[in-house]
Amino acid sequence: MGAHRWSSARLGFVVCGYFAFFCGEIISRAEAGCRERENPNCCTGRNNECFEYSKRKTVCYCDTYCQKTGDCCEDYQRVCQISAAIDCVVGSWGPWSSCTSPCGVGSTERSRQVSIPPRNGGTPCPDLKQRRGCFGNNAICSTAKEVAKILPDSFKRNFKDPWRRPHMLMKEEKASYCVYLRVKQASAACKLKVWSAQLVKERLVCAECQSDAMSKSDRCGGDGLESIRTFWAAASVPGCHGSWVKESSSVGCRCPAYSVLFV
C-alpha cells in the first residue's frame, strides 16, 4: 500500500514536471521575437543591433532590412505593423539637354523622376540620370575656329602713312573696341620677343581692334567668344601661338600701353 502510494506520487511529480517544462516552453516561445525587445521594438533601415531571439532560440531581426535578407522575427509583420514591400516606380525619361560644349566634344544628360518611392524593403530606385557624349556644332563655331593674328600695340599706334597724298580718299574711320582675354596657353617660342613674352598663362590681356583691321562685319577676326577657348598667333614671332578665353569687351575704347592689336 505504501509502495503504491509512493509510486503514484512520483508519477505525479514527473507529470507535473513535464507539464511545467512544456508550459514554460510554450510561454517562452510565444513571447519570443520583436515584441520582447525594449523600445523601440522595431527599427528602420539596416540595424544589426536591432535583433531578438526566435522561437527556436536563433537570432532574428526587427529592422526593415530583414525583409530583404529573410531573417525577420516571426512576429515582425504583426508587431511592426509592416505592410507588403513596395518597389520603386520611376517615370519616363525627359529630353536630352543641350550639349555642354557649343563647339566640339561635350556631354549631354537626361533625367527622370521617382513616381513611387520604395517602402518596406522594396526594390530601390534605378538610376535617375543618364549622360552621353555629344559634339556641339553651334552657329558660333565658325567664329570659334578663327585664329586671331596679333601684334604689339606700338606697331600701329599713331601710325601715319608718309606716302598718302592729300587728295587721296581716306578710308572711313570706324570706332575701335577693346577685348579683354585671359591667356590659357602660350608656346615656348613666345619668349623670344619682349612683347610676346608677356603672354603667359592666366594673364589678362587687352587686345584692341582698330578700324584698319576690321572686316566688313565691323569686327576683327578671332576676337574671341565668351567662356569659349579660341586661338591666337603672334604675327611677328614665328612659332608663337596659344589660346585664350574672352572675358569682356568695350566699344569705343583704347587699350593701355603694352597691349596688343588685332591685325
Side-chain angles (χ1 to χ4, degrees), residues 86-109:
I86 298 176
D87 296 336
C88 178
V89 178
V90 296
S92 57
W93 288 105
W96 288 100
S97 65
S98 57
C99 193
T100 55
S101 174
C103 303
V105 178
S107 63
T108 179
E109 65 178 29

Side-chain angles (χ1 to χ4, degrees), residues 159-214:
F159 175 78
K160 293 183 180 180
D161 186 356
W163 304 103
R164 186 181 295 278
R165 300 286 187 179
H167 66 276
M168 293 178 66
L169 292 175
M170 297 290 291
K171 186 179 179 180
E172 181 186 356
E173 189 76 16
K174 300 176 183 178
S176 63
Y177 64 90
C178 305
V179 184
Y180 291 89
L181 306 110
R182 183 79 59 181
V183 178
K184 293 299 180 183
Q185 186 181 6
S187 63
C190 297
K191 297 178 182 178
L192 299 176
K193 296 279 187 175
V194 175
W195 75 270
S196 58
Q198 300 178 34
L199 299 170
V200 295
K201 187 176 181 179
E202 295 304 323
R203 179 161 187 176
L204 188 64
V205 176
C206 181
E208 185 176 328
C209 178
Q210 294 183 343
S211 180
D212 289 345
M214 291 183 186

Side-chain angles (χ1 to χ4, degrees), residues 33-54 58-67 69 71-73 75-76 79-80:
C34 300
R35 188 178 297 278
E36 289 301 296
R37 276 184 48 76
E38 296 181 1
N39 287 335
N41 297 106
C42 311
C43 311
T44 57
R46 181 175 182 175
N47 187 343
N48 292 338
E49 301 299 322
C50 190
F51 72 91
E52 193 47 66
Y53 293 96
S54 68
T58 58
V59 174
C60 61
Y61 291 88
C62 301
D63 58 355
T64 308
Y65 194 75
C66 73
Q67 295 182 101
T69 52
D71 51 6
C72 298
C73 294
D75 63 349
Y76 174 75
V79 174
C80 300

